[in-house]
């Protein structure tokens, strides 16, 4: 009787390296999502390895995983950069999220327990306090936790994985939109979502979540247009000579004509 051959176990060093790469990925992702590594920033392999106290191998593997997650991009002969999400891509992400949130709202209105509603209400209240205090970083973190908890309570693992990827990509753009006015609006809409879920009305809860995301999309588009208009006005002002400079130029022309 011949012995059955088994596949060799993975090398311990390889397992340790893969595990370490996962930890490195998590830390770099945190730095990106918290804004310490800004969109467009170049990620130096050696610098990050030294900062995190690891060799360059795990950092290289972490870059590959972060690229799959949509948070970094690799440019040939140039290196690795934090992705800079365009407004067009951000608007598309909002549209996909809105459809997913419509389902989540309907589902939770039918299944959420009183204890779960209380938990969601506590998160919404925390966002309201952060908005009133002007604490954008705290608001952003609690906002992510609020939406992530909504997903978890919906109980669809595939939805959670897809949604989280979209949220992380959108975070690369959306942090620019947080100010006292927008945080107050978001906080109010979150309270409306919780109220709709608590009433047990699937249609109202689904529409509250859908409209919340589409309102965010509209605000993002409007902010982008204002920014573009401001940049255009600034460029025009730089190109257009001041009245004093124009008079000086006219005077020089007249003097030249008289000679």
């Amino acid at each position: 009787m011949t012995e059955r051959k088994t596949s060799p176990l993975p090398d311990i060093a390889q397992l340790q390296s893969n595990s370490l790469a996962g930890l490195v990925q998590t830390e770099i992702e945190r730095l990106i999502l918290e804004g310490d590594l800004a969109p467009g920033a170049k990620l130096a392999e050696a610098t990050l390895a030294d900062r995190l106290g690891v060799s360059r191998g795990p950092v290289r593997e972490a870059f590959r995983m972060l690229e799959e997650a949509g948070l970094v991009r690799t440019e040939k002969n140039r290196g690795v950069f934090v992705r800079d999400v365009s407004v067009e891509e951000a608007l598309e992400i909002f549209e996909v999220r809105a459809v997913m949130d419509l389902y989540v709202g309907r589902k939770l209105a039918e299944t959420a327990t009183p204890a779960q509603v209380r938990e969601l209400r506590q998160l919404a209240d925390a966002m309201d306090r952060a908005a009133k205090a002007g604490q954008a970083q705290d608001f952003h973190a609690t906002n992510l936790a609020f939406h992530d908890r909504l997903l978890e309570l919906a109980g669809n693992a595939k939805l959670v994985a897809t949604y989280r990827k979209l949220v992380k990509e959108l975070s690369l753009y959306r942090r620019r939109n947080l100010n006292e006015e927008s945080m107050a609006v978001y906080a109010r809409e979150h309270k409306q979502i919780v109220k709709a879920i608590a009433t047990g009305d699937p249609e109202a809860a689904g529409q509250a979540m859908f409209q919340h995301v589409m309102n965010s999309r509209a605000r993002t588009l409007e902010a982008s247009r204002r920014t573009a208009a401001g940049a255009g006005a600034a460029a025009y002002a730089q190109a257009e000579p001041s009245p004093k400079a124009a008079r000086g130029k006219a005077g020089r022309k007249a003097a030249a004509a008289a000679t």
Side-chain angles (χ1 to χ4, degrees):
M1 182 176 178
T2 58
E3 287 190 8
R4 192 174 178 181
K5 291 186 177 180
T6 59
S7 300
L9 290 173
D11 184 82
I12 294 298
Q14 182 183 354
L15 288 173
Q16 290 175 335
S17 176
N18 290 342
S19 176
L20 185 57
L23 293 174
V24 171
Q25 178 203 6
T26 299
E27 180 59 17
I28 297 176
E29 181 177 294
R30 183 188 67 79
L31 294 171
I32 292 172
L33 296 180
E34 291 185 359
D36 291 332
L37 297 173
K42 184 174 183 179
L43 303 181
E45 192 177 283
T47 302
L48 281 169
D50 183 62
R51 177 175 179 174
L52 301 177
V54 298
S55 64
R56 295 173 65 165
V59 175
R60 194 177 305 118
E61 179 62 17
F63 284 168
R64 184 190 64 76
M65 293 187 286
L66 288 166
E67 186 165 25
E68 289 180 357
L71 295 180
V72 306
R73 70 179 193 280
T74 301
E75 295 186 13
K76 190 174 181 180
N77 300 324
R78 291 198 63 210
V80 179
F81 299 81
V82 178
R83 279 192 64 218
D84 197 351
V85 172
S86 67
V87 64
E88 292 79 14
E89 184 178 359
L91 296 177
E92 290 178 354
I93 294 174
F94 275 121
E95 290 169 1
V96 177
R97 275 191 57 195
V99 175
M100 299 170 81
D101 274 331
L102 178 67
Y103 164 78
V104 171
R106 287 174 173 171
K107 179 77 178 289
L108 291 185
E110 296 174 339
T111 63
T113 66
Q116 291 169 343
V117 170
R118 283 196 300 272
E119 181 184 357
L120 294 172
R121 187 172 287 118
Q122 288 171 355
L123 288 168
D125 289 343
M127 277 183 282
D128 190 44
R129 290 193 296 271
K132 290 176 179 176
Q135 298 172 339
Q137 187 169 349
D138 289 346
F139 183 93
H140 180 68
T142 310
N143 176 58
L144 292 177
F146 176 76
H147 282 281
D148 202 66
R149 188 59 180 144
L150 288 168
L151 284 173
E152 290 177 342
L153 294 176
N156 187 315
K158 290 292 184 183
L159 179 68
V160 169
T162 304
Y163 195 99
R164 282 176 176 168
K165 182 177 184 297
L166 293 174
V167 167
K168 288 174 182 178
E169 289 181 293
L170 193 57
S171 292
L172 296 175
Y173 184 92
R174 198 176 181 192
R175 286 174 66 89
R176 310 170 199 176
N177 293 342
L178 286 182
N179 52 51
E180 289 189 14
E181 181 181 355
S182 66
M183 286 191 292
V185 174
Y186 293 140
R188 185 166 60 250
E189 291 177 354
H190 288 147
K191 287 188 172 184
Q192 291 170 350
I193 288 170
V194 176
K195 182 178 179 181
I197 290 172
T199 64
D201 185 338
E203 187 59 27
Q207 282 300 317
M209 290 193 66
F210 178 88
Q211 202 55 53
H212 169 60
V213 178
M214 293 307 290
N215 287 346
S216 296
R217 182 190 184 280
R219 286 189 288 267
T220 297
L221 180 58
E222 179 59 27
S224 173
R225 286 173 175 168
R226 285 199 304 268
T227 300
Y236 178 81
Q238 288 180 346
E240 186 72 10
S242 65
K244 182 176 180 181
R247 288 195 301 270
K249 185 176 182 180
R252 289 193 296 273
K253 283 186 177 180
T259 58

